[in-house]
Amino acid sequence: MSRYLTPSKIALLCLASIYTEGVVPNSSAIHVLSFLVACLSPLDGSNPNPPSGNWEKQSSVSTTDLEEALSTQTSSIPGRSIWDLFLRKIWSINSCDALEAFFSDVPGMLVKTREEQIRDRDNGLAPDSSCIRLSRCSPLGAFVRRAQLEFTRLQFYDSVKLWKGFVKYRLPTYRAWARRNPQEEQATVDINLLELGLDTRSHLAQVVYGNIEDDLEDEQYLSTKDIERLLEFQIGEMQKLGGRVPDGMKMKLEQIIVSGATLPNLVHYLRFLDAWRAGDYPSSFNNLHRYFDYTMHRRDRAYHEAVSAMQEAVSIARELYDLNCLNFCMSWLYHFGKAFPEHMKDVQNTGMLGNEKEGLAFLKAKAKDTEMWSLLSTTLLSEARLELQNGDSLASTIENIVRASHINITRNLANLMGPLLLLQGVLYSRIGVSHLSWLSNEIFSECYANRSPFEDYLKNTFRKCQLLAQQGRYNEVSNLMNQIAPEKLRPLKTNQYWIFFSGMLQLKRQIYRNDIAASNYLLSQLQAIQLPDTDISQLLSFITTEFMIRQGNYTRALDIVEKTAQSLHQDNFDVHLQVKLLCLKARILEKTGQPQRGFSLAMRAANIAHRARLLPGLWESICVLSGVLLSLKEFEAVAEMVESIMPQVLESNDCELAARSYSLLVDANMGVAGKLWSQGQGSSTTANKEYINRALGYLDCAYEQYEEIKDISGQCEMMAKKATVMHLTGDPVLANDYAAKYLDLQKQNRSEM
C-alpha cells in the first residue's frame, strides 16, 4: 500500500494538469476546481445526512465519478468536453516510464520559487504566460507538491505496483477513449507490449501484469493517508454520536487487514472506542495502550516527515502572517532539534531557525508580542537550560528561571511548574547544593506531580533516587521506584523508561558489590533499550566506563570515552559531559602509566568546571588531578588541594567522591611520611607520626564513606592500606587483624552474591 499516492490521485493530478494547460473555459473552471477540492479536502462530518457512499467517493474517486462530473463540461477545444481531454491525458501515460516522465513534469504546474524567478531574470528569460500556474500554498498547489514528493520517495517496486493499479483503474475507459481517438493506436495495458507485437495473454504480459483484463473484481485502491482520513472521520462520528462502528466500516477494515496493508495507528483507537461502546473493557483497555505504544514509540521515517511538514507549516505561516502558528512551529522545531539533533541538518542548512540563541530570541520576542505566556515561559526555561549547558553566566540562568516562575504563578500555568522545578533541581546539583536540589524535587512530587506529564514525574523520581543512592540509602531508592503504580507503566515508552532507570540504579549497586556476572547482565539489558534521550545514553556510557575501569579493561574504557565524545553534537553539547569525559580519560591515562598526558586533561577539566561554576565537576577534576600528581610524587600539593575542597565535597552528599578524596589524603600523607623516612628521619619523629596518624584518620573516614554505599572494593582497599600502615609502624597484631577483616569482607561478599 502506498503512503499517499493511489491511481485515483494520479487521475486527479491529470485533471489538474488539464486545468493548468488553459483549456478549461471560465464557465467550467469553477465546477472543475470545486470537484478537485471536494475530492482532496478532508471528510466533512458536519452534514447530518451524508449521501450514501460519500466517504468512499472522497477517499478514492472512481472513473464513473469523473465521467459524471466532467462529461457535461465543455472545453476550449471545439467539439471536445473536459472528459474527452481527461481521457486523452490519462491514456497518454502509456507505460511505467511515461508515468515517471509525467511526474518529472509536475513541478511545471506550480509557480516558480523566488530563487527560480531570480535565476530566470538573471539569465534573461521572460516569464512564461502560456499556461496557468498554481500557487504553491493553495490547496491544489499543496496537493501537486505532495504528490510529486511522494512519488520521488517511492521504491521501484512500489512505483511499478502503482503503475499496475493505474492501468487497472483506467481500463474501463478504454472503449470511450478509443471511440473518440480512432486514429491513435494504443494497447489496453502497455504501449511496449504493442510495439513488441504481444497481447495481454502472452507469457511476458502474464508475468508482468497477470490476468488484468479478466480480473473484474472491484478492488478499492486506498493509501495509508486515505485510510487515516476515513478513520479520523469515523472516530469523529463515534465521539460525536456515541455509537459503534457500522457494519460497512467493519467490512472495509477487514478487507484492508486481509490485503496485508500497513494499518495506521488510529485503527487501534477506533477498536478501543468500539470495544468501549460494546462494554468489552479489557479489549478496549488493551487497544488503547496499543494505540499509545505505536503512536509514541515510532522512531523511523516519521521524524523526517514531521520535520518536512513543520517546515512547510513555517513557510505557510510566514506567507499568511499567522503569528500564533509560526510561534508554535518554531518552538516545535527548536525542541525537536534539541532532542534529535541528527534529524535537523536540513533545517539548519536552510537557515530557518538560525543558531540556537537566535531561535530562542525570536520565540521570546514573538511570544511576548502575542501574549502567548506558556510559550514565553517555555522559551525562558529553554534559554536557562542552554546557558546552563554552555556554562554561561549563572546569574543569567537563575534570572530566566525566576522570570519563568513569575509568569507561571501570575498566569496560573501550573502545568509548567514541573519542568521548571526539574531544571531548578539540576541547577542546584550543578552548583553543589544537593539539599536544595532534593527540596526542589520534593516540591515537584508533593505539589505538581498530578499536573505534569508522567514522564516528568518519572525523571524526577529517578533524580531523587540518584541523590539517595549517592548516600547509600538503597532501601529508600527501592521504595521510591516501587511506589509507581503498575497501571501507569503500561505504555511501552513509559515502561522502558522505568526499566532503564531501575536498571541503572541496580547496575550501580552491583558494581559496588563487585558482582561481575550481574553487572554484565544488567549492562547488556540496558544497552538493548534504545531510548530517544541523549542524556540517558550518555549516562549509561559513563557507568559502563566506570565498570571497565574497575575491571582493569582500560582499552575498552578509553574506546567508550572516545566514542561518546564523538557522538556529541553542537545542539546537545553540555559542559558537564565535557568535564566528565575529560576526567574519565585522565583517570584512564593515570592508571595506564601515562600521568603526564592525564595532567593536561585534568587541568583542562578543572579550568572548564571553574569557569562554568560546575562545582561537583570541579571537585572531581581536582581529585583526578590529585591522582595524577600522586603518580608524579607531588604529595604536599595533593594534600593541600584535597584538604581545601573537603568541606564542599562533603556538602555535595556524594559518598563515592568523598571516599576517593579521603583515600587521596591517605596516600598523600603516607607519601610525605615516606619522604621524611627516605631523608633519614626515622619513624619515631614527631612529624612522621603526625602524618601517619592523619593517614589513619583519613583511612577510617574513607572506609565509612565506602561502607555507606556498600562499595566492597573500596572497603577492601582501605583495609589493605590500613594493614600495610600497621605493618610499617611495627604493629603486626593489628596488621593481621586488618588483613583478616579484609578476607572476611571478600568472603562475605561472595556469600551474598
Side-chain angles (χ1 to χ4, degrees), residues 273 542 675 695 708:
L273 288 176
F542 294 151
K675 273 189 175 183
E708 287 288 337

Side-chain angles (χ1 to χ4, degrees), residues 233-294:
F233 170 76
Q234 191 61 44
I235 288 170
E237 291 295 300
M238 291 177 66
Q239 291 176 334
K240 181 173 65 175
L241 303 176
R244 294 185 61 191
V245 180
D247 294 337
M249 174 60 71
K250 285 185 178 180
M251 292 177 59
K252 180 59 63 178
L253 288 176
E254 289 298 328
Q255 293 176 6
I256 294 171
I257 294 172
V258 171
S259 67
T262 302
L263 294 177
N265 300 332
L266 282 174
V267 73
H268 301 296
Y269 188 73
L270 184 66
R271 288 171 174 170
F272 151 72
L273 288 176
D274 188 54
W276 181 33
R277 303 295 188 194
D280 186 0
Y281 299 114
S283 298
S284 65
F285 201 62
N286 291 335
N287 282 310
L288 182 62
H289 281 293
R290 184 171 297 179
Y291 164 71
F292 280 109
D293 286 345
Y294 279 103

Side-chain angles (χ1 to χ4, degrees), residues 122-168:
D122 295 340
N123 294 331
L125 299 176
D128 186 10
S129 58
S130 60
C131 61
I132 300 173
R133 292 186 181 269
L134 303 174
S135 171
R136 306 180 75 88
C137 298
S138 65
L140 196 55
F143 161 68
V144 170
R145 284 197 294 164
R146 174 73 184 275
Q148 198 271 337
L149 176 63
E150 291 292 341
F151 187 80
T152 58
R153 289 176 173 175
L154 287 179
Q155 301 292 328
F156 177 74
Y157 170 80
D158 295 323
S159 62
V160 171
K161 189 175 181 180
L162 179 64
W163 161 247
K164 292 179 181 178
F166 181 67
V167 169
K168 186 173 181 180

Side-chain angles (χ1 to χ4, degrees), residues 591-611:
K591 290 181 178 295
T592 54
Q594 305 175 71
Q596 291 83 358
R597 293 181 60 191
F599 179 81
S600 60
L601 293 174
M603 285 295 296
R604 184 182 172 194
N607 183 34
I608 294 173
H610 180 265
R611 186 175 64 249

Side-chain angles (χ1 to χ4, degrees), residues 712-731:
I712 301 299
S713 297
Q715 294 178 66
C716 290
E717 183 184 357
M718 293 305 105
M719 283 297 103
K721 287 183 178 181
K722 204 162 189 180
T724 304
V725 173
M726 292 297 103
H727 179 74
L728 292 175
T729 55
D731 194 340

Side-chain angles (χ1 to χ4, degrees), residues 296-467:
M296 303 301 293
H297 202 67
R298 293 177 62 190
R299 303 195 206 114
D300 45 9
R301 301 181 192 172
Y303 286 163
H304 303 283
E305 294 173 17
V307 172
S308 301
M310 198 57 71
Q311 285 182 270
E312 188 68 29
V314 169
S315 301
I316 295 175
R318 281 177 172 171
E319 292 186 14
L320 300 179
Y321 300 99
D322 190 342
L323 294 182
N324 290 337
C325 178
L326 182 61
N327 292 350
F328 173 80
C329 296
M330 298 294 282
S331 177
W332 187 94
L333 280 173
Y334 171 78
H335 290 288
F336 183 88
K338 295 297 292 182
F340 310 103
E342 65 275 8
H343 297 285
M344 290 294 289
K345 293 180 180 178
D346 295 337
V347 180
Q348 292 168 353
N349 294 335
T350 60
M352 184 173 290
L353 277 177
N355 60 38
E356 201 162 353
K357 291 186 177 180
E358 291 174 353
L360 287 174
F362 170 84
L363 290 174
K364 189 163 58 174
K366 295 301 181 181
K368 197 179 298 182
D369 293 342
T370 56
E371 296 185 351
M372 298 175 65
W373 304 118
S374 59
L375 177 60
L376 180 58
S377 175
T378 304
T379 306
L380 289 170
L381 290 179
S382 299
E383 189 172 358
R385 187 178 294 107
L386 177 63
E387 291 172 342
L388 201 61
Q389 290 176 347
N390 294 338
D392 294 337
S393 170
L394 195 62
S396 179
T397 303
I398 296 175
E399 179 187 354
N400 282 320
I401 292 177
V402 172
R403 291 173 63 189
S405 177
H406 175 74
I407 293 173
N408 293 347
I409 293 173
T410 56
R411 302 295 173 180
N412 195 25
L413 303 176
N415 59 327
L416 295 180
M417 286 300 294
L420 185 144
L421 289 170
L422 287 173
L423 181 60
Q424 188 171 286
V426 173
L427 171 65
Y428 288 142
S429 293
R430 293 198 175 200
I431 61 177
V433 192
S434 298
H435 62 281
L436 289 181
S437 178
W438 172 265
L439 184 61
S440 296
N441 293 330
E442 281 289 283
I443 293 173
F444 176 89
S445 300
E446 295 296 330
C447 303
Y448 299 102
N450 295 331
R451 305 182 184 182
S452 300
F454 182 72
E455 186 176 322
D456 288 343
Y457 172 76
L458 198 59
K459 290 181 178 180
N460 177 75
T461 304
F462 178 57
R463 287 177 181 171
K464 290 170 64 177
C465 291
Q466 280 184 306
L467 293 174

Side-chain angles (χ1 to χ4, degrees), residues 18 82-92 173 176-177 180-181:
I18 293 173
I82 297 178
W83 170 246
D84 297 334
L85 300 181
F86 172 77
L87 290 177
R88 186 180 183 86
K89 172 64 72 172
I90 63 173
W91 283 97
S92 66
T173 64
W177 173 82
R180 289 171 175 77
N181 300 273

